[in-house]
């Protein structure tokens, strides 16, 4: 039997908040289930996590018109379910280790364009932050619950 990967893929995640204090979520193209997630993605070699967060926004939703309000002090991890280990990211990682950022969206909804160079999402919407863990795939739910607990006050204060 092949050895299981032990490393975590270094990534960023973004809690993107609009003027009403709602959070951006999107449905992945490669997942037919009704599962939503916040923008996230890998950190390139030598890239600063803050730079990666803005790059990922542009690559995933077509705009990086945002400002950072807060970031996690530590790196948060999640493990892939056994059936996905070895199938994603060239089989090199057991899950992801993420630096999370809360960002205020400064633009208008019309700036959001999922038809990017390498589209990842098929649909998007704004939702209350507390609802986000209910929308995510089960193996990421605990991480999203942690995000709501950590950043709920920041998201609430950002409305207006």
């Amino acid at each position: 039997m092949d050895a299981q990967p032990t490393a975590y893929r270094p990534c960023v995640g973004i809690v993107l908040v609009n003027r009403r204090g709602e959070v951006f979520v999107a449905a992945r193209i490669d997942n037919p289930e009704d599962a939503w997630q916040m923008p996230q993605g890998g950190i390139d070699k030598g890239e600063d996590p803050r730079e990666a967060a803005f790059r990922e926004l542009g690559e995933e939703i077509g705009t990086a018109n945002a400002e950072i309000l807060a970031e996690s002090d530590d790196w948060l991890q999640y493990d892939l379910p056994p059936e996905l280990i070895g199938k994603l990211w060239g089989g090199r990682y057991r899950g992801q280790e993420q630096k999370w950022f809360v960002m205020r969206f400064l633009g208008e909804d019309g700036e959001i364009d999922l038809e990017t160079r390498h589209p990842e999402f098929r649909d998007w919407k704004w939702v209350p932050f507390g609802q986000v863990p209910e929308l995510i795939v089960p193996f990421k739910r605990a991480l999203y619950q942690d995000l709501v607990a950590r950043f709920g006050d920041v998201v609430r204060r950002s409305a207006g």
Side-chain angles (χ1 to χ4, degrees):
M1 181 168 197
D2 293 336
Q4 294 293 312
T6 58
Y8 287 94
R9 180 176 178 240
C11 296
V12 294
I14 299 106
V15 179
L16 187 64
V17 185
N18 67 13
R19 290 176 184 93
R20 296 179 305 274
E22 299 166 318
V23 174
F24 178 94
V25 293
R28 291 190 58 83
I29 287 174
D30 59 3
N31 188 344
E33 296 178 32
D34 189 28
W36 300 77
Q37 72 176 52
M38 293 183 283
Q40 62 179 53
I43 299 172
D44 292 339
K45 187 176 176 118
E47 187 176 34
D48 176 80
R50 286 175 167 242
E51 293 170 4
F54 283 105
R55 177 184 51 75
E56 283 295 330
L57 272 182
E59 289 178 2
E60 292 187 358
I61 71 167
T63 180
N65 189 1
E67 65 181 349
I68 295 174
L69 300 176
E71 73 179 83
S72 57
D73 293 330
D74 53 350
W75 293 75
L76 307 175
Q77 298 174 339
Y78 72 83
D79 290 325
L80 291 171
E83 66 271 14
L84 292 180
I85 292 178
K87 294 181 180 168
L88 299 178
W89 313 306
R92 296 180 301 179
Y93 304 105
R94 66 180 288 175
Q96 295 195 57
E97 181 174 66
Q98 301 172 317
K99 174 68 89 167
W100 278 87
F101 296 89
V102 178
M103 300 174 90
R104 177 184 290 123
F105 182 55
L106 301 174
E108 301 298 327
D109 287 1
E111 291 178 41
I112 296 172
D113 182 7
L114 302 183
E115 295 297 320
T116 60
R117 187 172 179 196
H118 301 286
E120 294 186 34
F121 299 123
R122 57 185 159 79
D123 198 7
W124 68 273
K125 60 186 175 182
W126 297 106
V127 299
F129 193 29
Q131 185 182 345
V132 174
E134 302 166 21
L135 303 173
I136 192 69
V137 291
F139 66 91
K140 292 183 187 178
R141 190 159 292 137
L143 183 139
Y144 273 47
Q145 289 167 336
D146 186 10
L147 292 170
V148 170
R150 286 174 184 238
F151 294 125
D153 288 342
V154 175
V155 170
R156 279 188 291 280
R157 286 193 310 264
S158 70

